[in-house]
């Protein structure tokens, strides 16, 4: 890809820098930022880095296998791509490119409710079933419509995100031009000074509406309407009772995303969820809550084996995947890591990132003496004095 002519890419961190160069600032900052003072966002990364892996030697791990199984599907590594809104703005028809990369590398892709490309376009161009993420919205008609369309498209796994009864404030967005005064003009100027993105995505990647919402409303819901639409549609009245109709309606696996407390994880078991995602939304919701690395161990202790435990927020390497699995996750979701790669290098960028992460995971497994994903346990972590 173009970006690789100018940069050596060897990690997710390199892709972040490549994405920063390629994207207009309003988009890069939207991806890169968190809420309020961004403390939780930073701790997601630093707390994970503080988890010490336990090096073991002479364990003959020559027959190493990174594969696992999740909701009846074999995965090449214990990971899936997280739902990320507006992915079609970071690369041309970005959701399609990311879904195809995930399929090639043997892991699931999750389509966000607030995607640019609608369900039908992404599933139609993916060789394997994708996952679909749904938000709790005041307009239950939209939710029902989205579920019906997902089902009709052949999607079986639903990720239901519950940590956004109200959106967290992301101050970077007001400064960058994503929102705030004269936002449209500022975005236009930024696009003009990033001509590769402007031509490839801005011009050739149209239409840039929120595909799923447009299909429901029958007219385009444009990027300009996005912030307002979101702000008016999240529903703070939601409770476990409201989820029951979705569980009754949805035949396939249902995963509840946005759990940080063992009590909520137990409620998810009682509710009959097939899985949970331990997540603080990448530090984009309530700043000051626990990092996922800290939230995961007590949750795993409370519900391990009763449903599938996924975890996200701050995962930037295969070493981080090993850490999360060793702390009790069955698999992880990759958020910004894949988005940076997509912005920098499209489908090929995401495929390359997944290759990099698989290699990193293999090294972590080799040097902790783990031949299989099931060998990554609390015994793979060093106890600190
Ligand atoms: N989570 C959702 O459930 N639905 C979304 O539409 C959604 N949009 C996101 C948009 C951006 C730009 C980012 C960075 C995250 C978004 N998330 C969304 C949260 C991710 O699914 C995931 O929880 C988070 O990115 C994990 O943290 P990480 O990026 O540090 O790995």
């Amino acid at each position: 890809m173009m970006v690789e002519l100018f940069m050596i890419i060897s990690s997710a961190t390199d892709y972040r820098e490549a994405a920063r160069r390629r994207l207009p600032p309003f988009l890069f900052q939207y991806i890169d930022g968190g809420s309020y003072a961004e403390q939780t966002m930073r701790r997601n990364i630093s707390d994970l880095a503080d988890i010490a892996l336990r090096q073991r030697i002479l364990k003959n791990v020559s027959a190493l296998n990174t594969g696992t199984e999740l909701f009846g599907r074999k995965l090449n590594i214990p990971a899936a791509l997280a739902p990320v809104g507006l992915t079609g703005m970071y690369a041309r028809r970005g959701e399609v490119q990311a879904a195809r990369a995930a399929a090639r590398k043997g892991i699931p892709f999750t389509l966000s409710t607030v995607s640019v490309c609608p369900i039908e376009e992404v599933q139609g161009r993916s060789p394997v079933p994708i996952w679909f993420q749904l938000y709790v919205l005041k307009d239950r008609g939209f939710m029902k419509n989205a579920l019906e369309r997902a089902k009709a498209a052949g999607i079986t796994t639903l990720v239901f995100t519950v940590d956004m009864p109200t959106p967290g404030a992301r101050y970077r967005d007001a400064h960058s031009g994503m929102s705030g005064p004269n936002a449209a003009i500022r975005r236009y100027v930024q696009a003009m000074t990033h001509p590769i993105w402007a031509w490839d995505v801005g011009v050739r990647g149209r239409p840039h509406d929120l595909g799923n919402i447009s299909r429901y409303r029958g007219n385009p819901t444009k990027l300009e309407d996005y912030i307002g639409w979101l702000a008016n549609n999240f529903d703070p009245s939601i409770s476990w009772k409201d989820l029951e109709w979705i569980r009754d309606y949805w035949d396939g696996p249902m995963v509840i995303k946005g759990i940080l407390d063992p009590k909520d994880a137990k409620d998810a078991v009682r509710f009959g969820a097939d899985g949970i995602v331990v997540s603080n939304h990448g530090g984009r919701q309530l700043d000051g809550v626990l990092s996922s690395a800290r939230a995961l161990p007590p949750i795993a202790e409370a519900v391990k084996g009763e449903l599938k435990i996924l975890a996200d927020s701050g995962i930037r390497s295969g070493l981080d995947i090993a850490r999360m699995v060793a702390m009790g996750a069955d698999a992880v979701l990759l958020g910004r890591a894949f988005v940076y790669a997509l912005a920098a290098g499209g489908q090929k960028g995401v495929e390359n990132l997944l290759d990099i992460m698989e290699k990193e995971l293999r090294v972590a497994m080799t040097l902790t003496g783990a031949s299989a994903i099931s060998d990554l346990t609390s015994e793979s972590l060093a106890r600190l004095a």
Side-chain angles (χ1 to χ4, degrees):
M1 290 307 292
M2 179 80 68
V3 68
E4 283 152 8
L5 295 176
F6 303 109
M7 272 192 72
I8 307 287
I9 298 280
S10 50
S11 67
T13 311
D14 293 337
Y15 272 122
R16 175 177 179 271
E17 175 56 22
R20 192 187 63 75
R21 293 185 195 184
R22 169 125 168 171
L23 292 173
F26 76 92
L27 282 179
F28 177 75
Q29 299 298 346
Y30 175 68
I31 298 165
D32 199 56
S35 58
Y36 303 94
E38 302 187 339
Q39 273 165 348
T40 295
M41 185 176 83
R42 282 192 294 276
R43 282 186 196 137
N44 281 335
I45 290 181
S46 62
D47 286 350
L48 206 41
D50 282 347
I51 306 294
L53 292 160
R54 181 177 175 203
Q55 178 166 298
R56 300 298 308 279
I57 54 162
L58 305 174
K59 290 279 180 193
N60 184 8
V61 284
S62 51
L64 193 148
N65 183 357
T66 61
T68 191
E69 204 187 302
L70 202 57
F71 308 130
R73 178 172 162 193
K74 284 195 171 17
L75 310 189
N76 186 37
I77 56 171
L81 301 189
V84 172
L86 305 187
T87 292
M89 297 303 294
Y90 317 139
R92 186 182 349 140
R93 309 313 280 168
E95 290 93 358
V96 171
Q97 295 202 53
R100 292 169 74 92
R104 285 195 74 153
K105 293 295 154 188
I107 65 167
F109 166 80
T110 315
L111 184 71
S112 162
T113 301
V114 286
S115 55
V116 170
C117 302
I119 294 166
E120 293 78 3
E121 179 181 351
V122 184
Q123 184 55 80
R125 295 179 65 191
S126 166
V128 294
I130 58 171
W131 294 359
F132 179 63
Q133 175 264 325
L134 189 65
Y135 271 128
V136 180
L137 298 170
K138 283 182 187 155
D139 186 342
R140 301 291 198 267
F142 167 75
M143 290 173 71
K144 196 149 187 296
N145 171 270
L147 288 174
E148 273 164 10
R149 288 173 34 226
K151 240 187 195 183
I155 295 171
T156 55
T157 303
L158 178 69
V159 176
F160 194 69
T161 301
V162 293
D163 61 2
M164 216 192 258
T166 184
R170 303 182 194 135
Y171 296 148
R172 281 203 216 185
D173 289 348
H175 291 272
S176 68
M178 184 70 177
S179 58
N182 304 319
I185 298 168
R186 293 166 68 199
R187 288 201 297 264
Y188 182 78
V189 171
Q190 290 177 21
M192 291 302 98
T193 52
H194 290 75
I196 296 174
W197 177 89
W199 172 242
D200 187 31
V201 188
V203 176
R204 296 174 68 208
R206 286 183 294 190
H208 289 146
D209 53 333
L210 298 176
N212 295 320
I213 295 152
S214 304
R215 294 236 171 161
Y216 170 64
R217 300 205 322 189
N219 58 6
T221 300
K222 297 209 182 85
L223 183 61
E224 291 79 56
D225 305 329
Y226 168 69
I227 304 281
W229 187 88
L230 278 189
N232 291 329
N233 264 287
F234 287 110
D235 186 355
S237 79
I238 187 84
S239 71
W240 284 105
K241 258 197 131 7
D242 297 285
L243 269 62
E244 277 165 17
W245 70 267
I246 299 175
R247 192 196 43 198
D248 293 344
Y249 180 78
W250 191 259
D251 313 318
M254 183 169 166
V255 182
I256 311 271
K257 175 170 181 279
I259 286 186
L260 288 177
D261 194 282
K263 283 195 173 154
D264 289 334
K266 283 188 172 163
D267 283 344
V269 172
R270 269 193 289 278
F271 168 78
D274 300 276
I276 53 171
V277 186
V278 177
S279 171
N280 53 40
H281 216 103
R284 296 164 76 80
Q285 281 297 93
L286 181 57
D287 195 28
V289 296
L290 283 180
S291 65
S292 287
R294 290 207 171 206
L296 175 60
I299 290 178
E301 203 178 309
V303 298
K304 182 83 182 169
E306 299 194 59
L307 39 56
K308 291 291 180 188
I309 303 175
L310 288 85
D312 75 16
S313 299
I315 295 160
R316 300 288 181 271
S317 69
L319 277 58
D320 291 340
I321 299 175
R323 289 176 166 117
M324 285 297 202
V325 173
M327 286 192 290
D330 294 295
V332 303
L333 296 184
L334 305 173
R336 293 182 182 86
F338 99 79
V339 178
Y340 296 139
L342 179 74
Q347 178 178 338
K348 287 265 177 299
V350 179
E351 287 174 21
N352 186 40
L353 173 84
L354 293 174
D355 285 341
I356 290 170
M357 285 192 147
E358 181 185 333
K359 278 187 201 132
E360 292 167 340
L361 176 61
R362 282 181 172 276
V363 170
M365 289 174 70
T366 305
L367 289 170
T368 55
S371 295
I373 292 300
S374 56
D375 295 335
L376 287 169
T377 65
S378 57
E379 291 295 305
S380 315
L381 301 175
R383 284 178 225 312
L384 301 179

